[in-house]
Structures are given as C-alpha cells and as structure tokens.
C-alpha cells in the first residue's frame, strides 16, 4: 500500500472514478453511430477508453470511404476538445 497523496485538481491515477470521468469527457467523440443500407453498414461505439469503428459494405471502396468518413468525424470532434489519436494506434 502506498502513502496517501493529496491532489488539488483532477483525480488520482488509478482512481475508480477515472474511467467514468474519462467516458464523460470523450462521450461525444465515440457517440454511437449506426447506419444500415443495402450496400453498407457501420457501428461506431466505445467502452471506457477504447473506440471501435466496424464497417461492412458491398465493395472495398464503399468500406474504405466509410471508414475514412467516420474516423475523420471522430477526429474532428476530438480536435474541438484539444485531443488527438496516437498515429501508431490508428494506422
């Protein structure tokens, strides 16, 4: 057990409330998006600090274009909050 640490802002690393606060902070970035048409389907969702974009389409171009569109939308919202995605994790 470590010694007690006092903080004057935020919550301590590892606090049980951290995932909930983070989820509230990024909620708009990974807000659920569901699309289903005869030629394409997608779901954008998240759990705590992991986001997922799942896409299916009738052609590779449809899939690629939809993934790019959804990722750019998530990235646009993140930039409004002065956030970004680690390039190595998103390539």
């Amino acid at each position: 057990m470590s010694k007690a640490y006092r903080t004057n802002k935020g919550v301590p690393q590892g606090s049980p409330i951290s995932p909930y606060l983070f989820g509230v902070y990024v909620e708009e970035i990974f807000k659920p998006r569901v699309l289903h048409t005869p030629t394409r389907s997608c779901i954008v969702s998240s759990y705590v600090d992991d986001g997922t974009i799942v896409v299916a389409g009738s052609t590779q171009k449809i899939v690629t274009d939809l993934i790019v569109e959804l990722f750019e939308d998530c990235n646009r919202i993140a930039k409004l909050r002065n956030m970004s995605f680690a390039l190595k994790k998103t390539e």
Side-chain angles (χ1 to χ4, degrees), residues 17-30 48 77-84:
I17 197 166
S18 294
Y20 298 103
L21 294 176
F22 183 79
V24 168
Y25 188 70
V26 300
E27 180 271 333
E28 189 177 346
I29 297 168
F30 291 117
V48 186
I77 296 167
K79 284 181 180 180
L80 292 173
R81 292 181 171 249
N82 295 317
M83 298 170 65
S84 64

Side-chain angles (χ1 to χ4, degrees), residues 8-89:
N8 59 2
K9 56 183 157 180
V11 294
Q13 178 71 28
S15 169
I17 197 166
S18 294
Y20 298 103
L21 294 176
F22 183 79
V24 168
Y25 188 70
V26 300
E27 180 271 333
E28 189 177 346
I29 297 168
F30 291 117
K31 69 182 174 193
R33 299 168 185 85
V34 178
L35 167 74
H36 181 70
T37 70
T39 59
R40 61 189 197 158
S41 298
C42 74
I43 298 172
V44 175
S45 64
S46 69
Y47 178 74
V48 186
D49 64 348
D50 291 319
T52 304
I53 299 173
V54 179
V55 174
S58 58
T59 69
Q60 183 175 350
K61 179 162 177 27
I62 288 173
V63 169
T64 302
D65 290 349
L66 188 52
I67 288 171
V68 168
E69 176 186 328
L70 291 168
F71 179 76
E72 286 177 351
D73 186 50
C74 291
N75 205 30
R76 177 189 59 79
I77 296 167
K79 284 181 180 180
L80 292 173
R81 292 181 171 249
N82 295 317
M83 298 170 65
S84 64
F85 296 99
L87 185 58
K88 287 184 177 180
K89 291 184 175 183

